[in-house]
């Protein structure tokens, strides 16, 4: 390699690195712009049931039920076998993926109106899911489990909705899914009877 070749190669590397940095910055700006944009949209009047095989009337209403002496239940518990896929109730963007004491493994999605949809007690996250990812009602976020303070209870999804004014009850907004709105991986023959509703947790 001649001296000028090395110089040209170094320049090329520098230009490439600069472009990659700009692209990354651009992605971040696009993400912030999209989130900012959500605040100008009105929040959904109807959202999809996060679990395919559960209908709204199977949910025991535990909104604001006392939890210990200093807390009320800020959401709804939707019971299903461990490992049941959890679909996003709305379109939006993955806002946060993380673990906390009460919720265990959780995914938050930000949707229209800046509402944050909170999915907790996940057994595991959907493979490859990352903060900033766009989601639709066909996106799997994770799988039903018992992480956080759900340990020792029947597996369930804790589903919460947070607005700028605090938590709101998800139950009146939830609408049953039409079975064809999301693809099912399960073979049609596999049908196990089970109880989906428990008032325990
Ligand atoms: Zn709960």
């Amino acid at each position: 390699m001649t001296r000028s070749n090395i110089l040209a190669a170094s320049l090329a590397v520098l230009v490439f690195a600069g472009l990659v940095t700009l692209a990354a910055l651009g992605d971040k700006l696009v993400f912030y712009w999209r989130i900012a944009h959500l605040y100008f949209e009105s929040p959904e009047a109807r959202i999809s049931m996060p679990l395919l095989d559960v209908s709204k009337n199977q949910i025991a209403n535990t909104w604001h039920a006392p939890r210990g002496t200093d807390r009320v239940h800020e959401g709804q518990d939707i019971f299903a076998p461990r490992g049941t896929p959890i679909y996003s109730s709305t379109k939006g963007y993955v806002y946060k993926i993380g673990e906390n004491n009460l919720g265990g493994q959780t995914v938050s999605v930000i949707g229209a109106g800046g509402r944050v949809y909170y999915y907790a007690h996940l057994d595991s996250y959907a493979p490859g899911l990352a903060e900033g990812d766009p989601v639709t009602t066909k996106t799997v976020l994770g799988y039903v489990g018992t992480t956080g303070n759900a340990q020792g209870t029947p597996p369930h999804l804790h589903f919460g909705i947070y607005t700028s004014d605090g938590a709101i009850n998800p139950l009146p907004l939830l609408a049953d899914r039409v079975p064809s709105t999301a693809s099912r991986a399960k073979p049609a023959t596999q049908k196990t009877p089970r109880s989906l509703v428990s008032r325990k947790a």
Side-chain angles (χ1 to χ4, degrees):
M1 251 189 170
T2 66
R3 212 186 149 83
S4 64
N5 275 348
I6 291 169
L7 200 70
S10 312
L11 259 177
V13 167
L14 272 178
V15 167
F16 180 71
L19 284 176
V20 167
T21 310
L22 270 179
L25 189 68
D27 279 355
K28 205 142 226 189
L29 285 176
V30 166
F31 179 58
Y32 290 142
W33 166 248
R34 282 171 173 167
I35 287 196
H37 207 257
L38 287 173
Y39 283 85
F40 295 101
E41 293 178 20
S42 347
E44 280 94 340
R46 284 276 171 278
I47 60 173
S48 298
M49 184 66 68
L51 307 182
L52 297 187
D53 290 329
V54 180
S55 63
K56 184 175 173 162
N57 59 25
Q58 288 173 289
I59 298 175
N61 186 4
T62 55
W63 171 251
H64 274 190
R67 290 289 193 265
T69 51
D70 57 344
R71 203 164 61 84
V72 295
H73 194 224
E74 287 198 330
Q76 295 290 350
D77 293 332
I78 311 175
F79 291 82
R82 184 182 303 278
T84 299
I86 300 161
Y87 289 84
S88 180
S89 273
T90 61
K91 67 179 175 69
Y93 297 92
V94 177
Y95 192 60
K96 197 176 171 200
I97 300 176
E99 205 166 347
N100 66 68
N101 288 342
L102 290 179
Q105 301 197 107
T106 71
V107 172
S108 299
V109 168
I110 188 161
R115 265 196 203 150
V116 174
Y117 299 88
Y118 176 66
Y119 304 81
H121 306 320
L122 274 53
D123 198 48
S124 59
Y125 303 116
L129 192 75
E131 290 175 359
D133 282 357
V135 300
T136 70
T137 54
K138 292 177 183 177
T139 306
V140 174
L141 303 174
Y143 302 90
V144 171
T146 52
T147 55
N149 73 340
Q151 276 173 42
T153 73
H156 65 275
L157 166 69
H158 172 93
F159 182 51
I161 305 177
Y162 294 88
T163 70
S164 52
D165 296 326
I168 58 169
N169 184 0
L171 197 56
L173 298 171
L174 279 170
D176 289 345
R177 282 186 188 252
V178 179
S180 61
T181 55
S183 57
R184 286 149 189 263
K186 262 193 293 182
T189 48
Q190 195 192 337
K191 240 187 175 168
T192 18
R194 58 180 188 245
S195 137
L196 291 164
V197 176
S198 158
R199 289 172 191 272
K200 229 184 113 187

